[in-house]
Amino acid sequence: MIRVLLVDDQPLIRSGFRALLDLEDGIEVVAEAADGEEALELAGKHLPDVALIDIRMPVVDGIEATRRIAADPALAGVHVVILTNYGLDEYVLDALRAGAAGFLVKDVVPEDFLHAVRVAARGDALLAPSITRKLINRYVTQSLPTDAGTGLEELTSREREAVVLVAKGLSNEEIAAHMVISPLTAKTHINRAMAKLRTRDRAQLVVRAYESGLMAPRSS
């Protein structure tokens, strides 16, 4: 059973998402929150698999709530998906850097919304390669952090290869086939790379790959 926390300051948005989730087998909405502060309290209480968090809210916004969830070892199993009305913008990148597993625009079709919840629950990034390139080209290349290269030199050649393939949007099984290794070994390479680069999940690993220069932005 996938346990979901809904966080949005608009009751109508929450009720709409809840109606979709309640109809889906294997998914349960365990709590709802109207701001980031309440979300943090409920995340600690219910330990959901997925937290769907609006990016702009009163009291504590979605980015700060994501940052606090990512920083709390007790909430390591909570995968944050940012909800936004605005599509690609600098706030989305800030949310990914803060620890979000990905993002959804609120007008997403129901099938894609439900698929996204399942993808996030299993720990995969909600970042299609085309969307990632747009995001990176627009924001990351304009202002790289001063510590962008930290940890990159610690990666083995196989770990670097695995990170690049993650950034291209490949699954563990596809990475394994490309590298001619088992899916378990591919997962091990990825997990070790995430530890060395101090990233919480695959979404952060993708951003880190671009920020470090390991993956070069392209226009197409």
Side-chain angles (χ1 to χ4, degrees), residues 103 125-135 166-169 206 210:
F103 70 95
L126 288 171
L127 291 172
S130 60
I131 296 296
T132 303
R133 285 197 294 270
K134 291 178 183 177
L135 190 68
V166 169
K168 289 181 177 180
V206 170
Y210 282 95

Side-chain angles (χ1 to χ4, degrees), residues 3-7 36 39-40 43 47-55 57 61-72 75-84 91-92 94-104 116-117 119-127 200-204:
R3 295 160 52 81
V4 177
L5 169 63
L6 288 174
V7 187
L40 291 165
L47 298 177
D49 302 298
V50 178
L52 299 169
I53 300 181
D54 185 21
I55 201 166
M57 296 182 296
D61 65 23
I63 295 172
E64 181 59 25
T66 299
R67 185 175 292 110
R68 294 186 193 179
I69 288 173
D72 188 343
L75 301 179
V78 179
H79 304 289
V80 174
V81 176
I82 287 292
L83 302 172
T84 176
Y91 297 107
V92 169
D94 288 343
L96 295 174
R97 284 174 168 157
F103 70 95
L104 288 172
V117 170
V119 168
R122 65 175 183 252
D124 289 341
L126 288 171
L127 291 172
R200 185 173 189 259
D201 54 31
R202 293 172 80 103
Q204 279 196 312

Side-chain angles (χ1 to χ4, degrees), residues 18-218:
R18 179 161 200 146
L20 284 173
L21 294 169
D22 284 345
L23 291 173
E24 192 72 5
D25 291 336
I27 299 178
E28 176 189 10
V29 177
V30 295
E32 296 182 28
D35 60 65
E37 184 173 348
E38 186 181 8
L40 291 165
E41 178 183 349
L42 292 174
K45 179 179 179 180
H46 294 282
L47 298 177
D49 302 298
V50 178
L52 299 169
I53 300 181
D54 185 21
I55 201 166
R56 298 182 184 181
M57 296 182 296
V59 188
V60 174
D61 65 23
I63 295 172
E64 181 59 25
T66 299
R67 185 175 292 110
R68 294 186 193 179
I69 288 173
D72 188 343
L75 301 179
V78 179
H79 304 289
V80 174
V81 176
I82 287 292
L83 302 172
T84 176
N85 287 319
Y86 308 101
L88 292 173
D89 62 21
E90 68 273 19
Y91 297 107
V92 169
L93 180 59
D94 288 343
L96 295 174
R97 284 174 168 157
F103 70 95
L104 288 172
V105 178
K106 288 183 182 179
D107 62 0
V108 63
V109 298
E111 293 80 5
D112 289 345
F113 172 70
L114 295 170
H115 174 70
V117 170
R118 296 187 182 281
V119 168
R122 65 175 183 252
D124 289 341
L126 288 171
L127 291 172
S130 60
I131 296 296
T132 303
R133 285 197 294 270
K134 291 178 183 177
L135 190 68
I136 298 302
N137 278 328
R138 191 175 301 179
Y139 299 111
V140 174
T141 56
Q142 295 174 8
S143 179
L144 292 177
T146 56
D147 65 343
T150 301
L152 189 63
E153 68 282 353
E154 299 177 25
L155 299 182
T156 66
S157 60
R158 296 295 267 174
E159 289 165 356
R160 284 174 179 250
E161 184 179 359
V163 171
V164 169
L165 294 173
V166 169
K168 289 181 177 180
L170 274 64
S171 66
N172 286 353
E173 289 73 18
E174 291 168 333
I175 291 171
H178 189 279
M179 297 178 66
V180 196
I181 55 179
S182 71
L184 180 59
T185 301
K187 184 177 180 180
T188 298
H189 286 320
I190 295 165
N191 287 342
R192 287 177 177 170
M194 286 195 294
K196 291 177 180 179
L197 295 177
R198 290 175 287 283
T199 58
R200 185 173 189 259
D201 54 31
R202 293 172 80 103
Q204 279 196 312
L205 187 63
V206 170
V207 173
R208 194 67 160 169
Y210 282 95
E211 289 182 331
S212 67
L214 186 60
M215 188 74 178
R218 296 184 302 172

